[in-house]
């Protein structure tokens, strides 16, 4: 890895970068929701086939994977295909043509990068230059946090010795890559607390259970108590997003409900959160004569980057972009089902800068106006190709960035 690889990548992008930007724009204009990425899957499969690869479709869903070159274990490069259920509010030629669906998290970019890296690596393999085996993984349904399970169930991680992903980051300038060892995203689970009681007249709350008051106590006291029962370094966060009870001003309802998300950076605390939230909810409810039912939908654990893999990302970035392109990245309370891969295979996720340098405003992911500086696509292709070139074995002891 070095000048020869960087030169080959520059030559490849001189021929294909404009085309790959067009491919990304086409995906952006035709977004599809999780497990419904039919068109996207067909387009990716066609490009991989044209590059001489043999894509394998995931059974029973959308998404696919493809191998490049000989040798195992393979380096896995992962992209996600799905979009978000929101309107696209950008004024661009490639604005979403599908009402209520938008690529507001950069998955179209991730897909274009892995396709581009695959095309480059396939050329190198055909010339006998690729040093080891690579697997391209195009995962469905990341936003619904169950697409990784489809990939794993299909055996797409079998024979993968190390796996990587790049995720768009609008807080970083294009040309920079944020690297961190350890937790980079949090666990993200949904929790629903339903209270039930006898109901009654608001003139006589002492003769019944004051449901709305009790629900207010759950809303305020449960997050406060939770924050004081765990190590603050775990960053356990319970935030409500939906509350509902009653329909008349003079009637105490017999049911109330509140829903929210629980996020956590520590795997052990995440595992214990279910019992703790249940106990706290019951202790609050019993004081007001209501019954609490807690439903906990576990979505994804924290994404914890293996230190050696994080160091290998930094090495790859330095080789093709220069050492100054490597930067630290903070931990995020967002969820990411790439975490399930890292429970089975060593690897890491990094943040790819997508902001135009000097931009006066900083957007964020999951916004209907989200867009990128499209030079990030070429940057991502270079980094992914360099990661594939390194193979699965770290070169030796190294201090991982972000520790």
């Amino acid at each position: 890895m070095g000048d020869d690889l960087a030169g080959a990548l520059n030559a490849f992008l001189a021929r294909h970068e404009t085309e790959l930007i067009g491919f990304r724009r086409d995906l952006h204009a035709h977004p599809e929701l999780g497990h419904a990425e039919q068109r996207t899957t067909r387009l990716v499969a066609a490009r991989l086939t044209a590059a001489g690869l043999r894509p394998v479709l995931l059974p029973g869903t959308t998404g696919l994977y493809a191998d490049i070159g000989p040798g195992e274990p393979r380096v896995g490069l992962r992209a996600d295909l799905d979009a978000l259920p929101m309107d696209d509010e950008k004024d661009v030629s490639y604005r979403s043509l599908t009402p209520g669906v938008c690529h507001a998290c950069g998955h179209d970019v991730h897909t274009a990068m892995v396709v581009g890296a695959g095309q480059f690596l396939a050329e190198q393999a055909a010339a006998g230059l690729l040093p080891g085996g690579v697997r391209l993984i195009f995962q469905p349904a990341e936003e619904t946090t169950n697409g990784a399970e489809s990939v794993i169930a299909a055996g797409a991680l079998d024979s993968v010795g190390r796996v990587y992903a790049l995720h768009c980051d609008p807080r970083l300038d294009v040309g920079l890559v944020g690297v961190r060892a350890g937790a980079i995203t949090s666990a993200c689970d949904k929790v629903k607390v339903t209270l039930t009681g006898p109901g009654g007249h608001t003139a006589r709350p002492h003769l019944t259970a004051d449901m709305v008051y009790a629900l207010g106590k759950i809303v305020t006291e449960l997050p406060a108590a939770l924050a004081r029962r765990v190590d603050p370094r775990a960053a356990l966060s319970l935030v409500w997003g939906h509350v509902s009870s009653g329909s008349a001003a003079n009637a105490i309802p017999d049911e109330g409900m509140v829903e929210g998300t629980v996020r956590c950076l520590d795997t052990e605390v995440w595992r214990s959160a279910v019992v703790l939230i249940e106990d706290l909810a019951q202790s609050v409810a019993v004081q007001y004569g209501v019954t609490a039912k807690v439903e906990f939908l576990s979505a994804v654990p924290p994404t914890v980057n293996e230190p050696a893999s994080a160091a290998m990302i930094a090495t790859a970035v330095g080789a093709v972009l220069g050492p100054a392109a490597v930067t630290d990245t903070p931990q995020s309370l967002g969820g990411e089902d790439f975490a399930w891969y890292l429970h089975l295979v060593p690897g890491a996720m990094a943040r790819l800068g997508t902001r135009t340098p000097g931009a006066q405003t900083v957007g964020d992911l999951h916004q209907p106006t989200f867009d990128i500086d499209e030079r990030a696509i070429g940057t991502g292709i270079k980094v992914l190709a360099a990661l594939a070139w390194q193979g699965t074995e770290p070169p030796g002891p190294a201090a991982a960035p972000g520790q």
Side-chain angles (χ1 to χ4, degrees), residues 278-329:
E278 171 79 31
D279 289 347
L280 290 173
Q282 298 295 346
S283 68
V284 173
V286 72
Q287 299 177 60
Y288 302 98
V290 298
T291 300
K293 176 185 177 183
V294 180
E295 298 172 79
F296 204 96
L297 176 61
S298 183
V300 291
T303 301
V304 181
N305 287 342
E306 186 220 16
S309 297
M312 291 172 76
I313 292 179
T315 300
V317 172
V320 292
L321 302 179
V326 181
T327 186
D328 191 17
T329 188

Side-chain angles (χ1 to χ4, degrees), residues 20-32 40 44 79-84 88 90 94-96 102-116 138 143 167-168 354 365 370-372 374 377:
L20 288 164
I21 289 173
F23 175 60
R24 176 258 168 171
R25 292 185 176 190
D26 181 62
L27 297 181
H28 196 91
H30 300 89
E32 298 169 301
T40 305
V44 171
D80 33 21
L81 304 177
D82 58 327
L84 284 160
D88 192 343
K90 297 187 298 298
Y94 47 91
R95 180 178 175 176
S96 172
C102 175
H103 271 297
C105 200
H107 294 187
D108 53 331
V109 182
H110 306 164
T111 299
M113 291 188 306
V114 175
V115 165
F138 297 89
E143 295 295 352
H167 198 296
C168 291
T354 62
L365 302 172
F370 172 76
D371 207 357
I372 68 160
E374 291 177 316
I377 295 172

Side-chain angles (χ1 to χ4, degrees), residues 59-146:
T61 182
T62 47
L64 66 160
Y65 65 95
D67 288 341
I68 306 173
E72 295 180 357
R74 295 179 177 275
V75 176
L77 304 177
R78 177 266 207 171
D80 33 21
L81 304 177
D82 58 327
L84 284 160
M86 63 173 59
D87 288 320
D88 192 343
E89 297 181 2
K90 297 187 298 298
D91 183 18
V92 293
S93 61
Y94 47 91
R95 180 178 175 176
S96 172
L97 299 174
T98 307
V101 186
C102 175
H103 271 297
C105 200
H107 294 187
D108 53 331
V109 182
H110 306 164
T111 299
M113 291 188 306
V114 175
V115 165
Q119 290 178 211
F120 171 78
L121 295 168
E123 288 183 3
Q124 299 300 303
L129 300 175
L130 187 64
V134 179
R135 176 162 294 164
L136 311 177
I137 300 171
F138 297 89
Q139 176 198 307
E142 188 279 328
E143 295 295 352
T144 56
T145 67
N146 58 6

Side-chain angles (χ1 to χ4, degrees), residues 6-220:
L9 281 164
N10 288 335
F12 171 82
L13 290 171
R15 300 192 308 272
H16 296 288
E17 187 170 22
T18 300
E19 164 206 338
L20 288 164
I21 289 173
F23 175 60
R24 176 258 168 171
R25 292 185 176 190
D26 181 62
L27 297 181
H28 196 91
H30 300 89
E32 298 169 301
L33 297 176
H35 293 303
E37 309 97 328
Q38 302 286 348
R39 180 181 184 274
T40 305
T41 298
R42 288 196 303 270
L43 291 179
V44 171
R47 282 185 167 262
L48 298 181
T49 301
L53 304 179
R54 297 181 178 179
V56 178
L57 300 179
L58 300 184
T61 182
T62 47
L64 66 160
Y65 65 95
D67 288 341
I68 306 173
E72 295 180 357
R74 295 179 177 275
V75 176
L77 304 177
R78 177 266 207 171
D80 33 21
L81 304 177
D82 58 327
L84 284 160
M86 63 173 59
D87 288 320
D88 192 343
E89 297 181 2
K90 297 187 298 298
D91 183 18
V92 293
S93 61
Y94 47 91
R95 180 178 175 176
S96 172
L97 299 174
T98 307
V101 186
C102 175
H103 271 297
C105 200
H107 294 187
D108 53 331
V109 182
H110 306 164
T111 299
M113 291 188 306
V114 175
V115 165
Q119 290 178 211
F120 171 78
L121 295 168
E123 288 183 3
Q124 299 300 303
L129 300 175
L130 187 64
V134 179
R135 176 162 294 164
L136 311 177
I137 300 171
F138 297 89
Q139 176 198 307
E142 188 279 328
E143 295 295 352
T144 56
T145 67
N146 58 6
E149 295 173 353
S150 299
V151 170
I152 293 167
L157 279 192
D158 296 351
S159 77
V160 170
R162 200 171 293 271
V163 64
Y164 298 103
L166 294 181
H167 198 296
C168 291
D169 188 344
R171 299 164 299 176
L172 287 179
D173 284 352
V174 66
L176 296 178
V177 178
V179 183
R180 170 172 287 276
I184 188 170
T185 71
S186 77
C188 181
D189 301 324
K190 294 179 182 178
V191 63
K192 178 180 179 181
V193 181
T194 302
L195 302 184
T196 55
H201 201 293
T202 56
R204 294 177 289 276
H206 58 290
L207 299 180
T208 181
D210 194 340
M211 176 60 64
V212 175
Y213 191 86
L215 190 62
K217 288 295 185 178
I218 290 287
V219 168
T220 58

